[in-house]
Amino acid sequence: MKIDKKFNQLSKEEYFYFIDNYKKYSDFNTLGLYRSICENENLELNDQIEIRDHANTVFEKTFNFYQLKDPKTYFDLTTLGLELTVADERQIWSDIRVNQEKILSDKKIKHRNFGEYSKHNCGHEDCPYNGIMIKQGSSLAENSMHFKSDKNEVSAKKKSQRFKKQRKNKHQIIQDGFDD
Ligand SMILES: [Zn+2]
């Protein structure tokens, strides 16, 4: 069966349904699902959080892997609704960096596939993404534009719109790394 509907247009109920029945749908794409949560304008912040948490009950391992495969999506989702200071954001990126290393060494793919990834190095010493491994050509890759944290002023809703805009501009993030 096919879902035949864009994830970012689903209702909360539909998300739950498709997550619970994902095996029946040949076009179900886990990363697509996760990415859509922040982009879906039908969803309130509470819905986004509930969907994320529900998806994680099923796809937790896969989701953790996104720290390497698509760290921006991972960051956006894990911080939904949180009021983050700059220091908080730095801490989260630092944790992601540590977890990336862990994922790579657990998977014993340190050298084999590392060529696809490069470490973010924009030259700004205090950049929170420094050392984050990013798939080449992705949104946080070296030299790509990134944004300053705007502390607590921006509501989560605005934040997600901002991310959406950025995503559009950047075309796509990561196609297919290695599957979990
Ligand atoms: Zn940077």
Side-chain angles (χ1 to χ4, degrees):
M1 273 193 291
K2 298 248 184 199
I3 295 172
D4 269 340
K5 215 172 167 185
K6 288 190 172 170
F7 278 134
N8 62 13
Q9 291 164 0
L10 298 183
S11 67
K12 178 171 129 186
E13 291 68 32
E14 288 171 320
Y15 271 103
F16 273 66
Y17 175 82
F18 287 121
I19 291 166
D20 292 338
N21 294 282
Y22 77 96
K23 285 182 182 157
K24 296 181 193 162
Y25 293 90
S26 57
D27 59 342
F28 185 92
N29 174 301
T30 314
L31 185 54
L33 172 109
Y34 274 110
R35 280 182 180 159
S36 75
I37 294 173
C38 291
E39 295 172 356
N40 188 323
E41 287 169 358
N42 302 324
L43 303 174
E44 299 295 328
L45 176 61
N46 284 347
D47 301 329
Q48 293 175 321
I49 292 170
E50 277 182 53
I51 294 163
R52 174 200 67 195
D53 291 346
H54 187 62
N56 284 351
T57 64
V58 180
F59 306 115
E60 190 186 6
K61 266 185 68 180
T62 307
F63 183 67
N64 282 331
F65 185 63
Y66 295 157
Q67 288 178 96
L68 180 64
K69 187 169 181 170
D70 188 348
K72 189 67 175 63
T73 292
Y74 180 88
F75 178 89
D76 291 350
L77 283 166
T78 49
T79 58
L80 271 174
L82 301 180
E83 302 272 317
L84 298 174
T85 64
V86 173
D88 295 334
E89 288 197 16
R90 279 180 188 285
Q91 185 56 51
I92 294 166
W93 281 110
S94 161
D95 293 343
I96 290 174
R97 200 150 47 228
V98 170
N99 290 332
Q100 288 184 328
E101 298 285 355
K102 233 182 263 171
I103 292 165
L104 280 172
S105 70
D106 287 352
K107 289 185 169 281
K108 298 185 172 62
I109 48 181
K110 203 161 199 152
H111 301 293
R112 188 160 54 91
N113 266 331
F114 191 72
E116 289 180 73
Y117 290 84
S118 60
K119 290 196 177 181
H120 180 87
N121 178 16
C122 63
H124 298 283
E125 241 170 63
D126 60 346
C127 175
Y129 308 138
N130 277 343
I132 290 280
M133 276 180 278
I134 313 282
K135 196 155 184 192
Q136 284 166 23
S138 73
S139 68
L140 297 181
E142 189 174 355
N143 296 330
S144 73
M145 190 181 66
H146 50 273
F147 45 90
K148 292 208 166 76
S149 162
D150 30 14
K151 294 173 196 164
N152 301 330
E153 292 141 38
V154 183
S155 72
K157 181 101 188 173
K158 274 195 196 144
K159 215 170 183 175
S160 93
Q161 282 163 353
R162 189 182 51 160
F163 290 147
K164 194 180 170 194
K165 214 185 254 171
Q166 280 166 344
R167 258 192 210 130
K168 261 189 208 150
N169 292 342
K170 275 162 196 140
H171 186 44
Q172 49 83 48
I173 306 184
I174 293 170
Q175 277 146 7
D176 200 19
F178 23 95
D179 294 323
D180 192 26

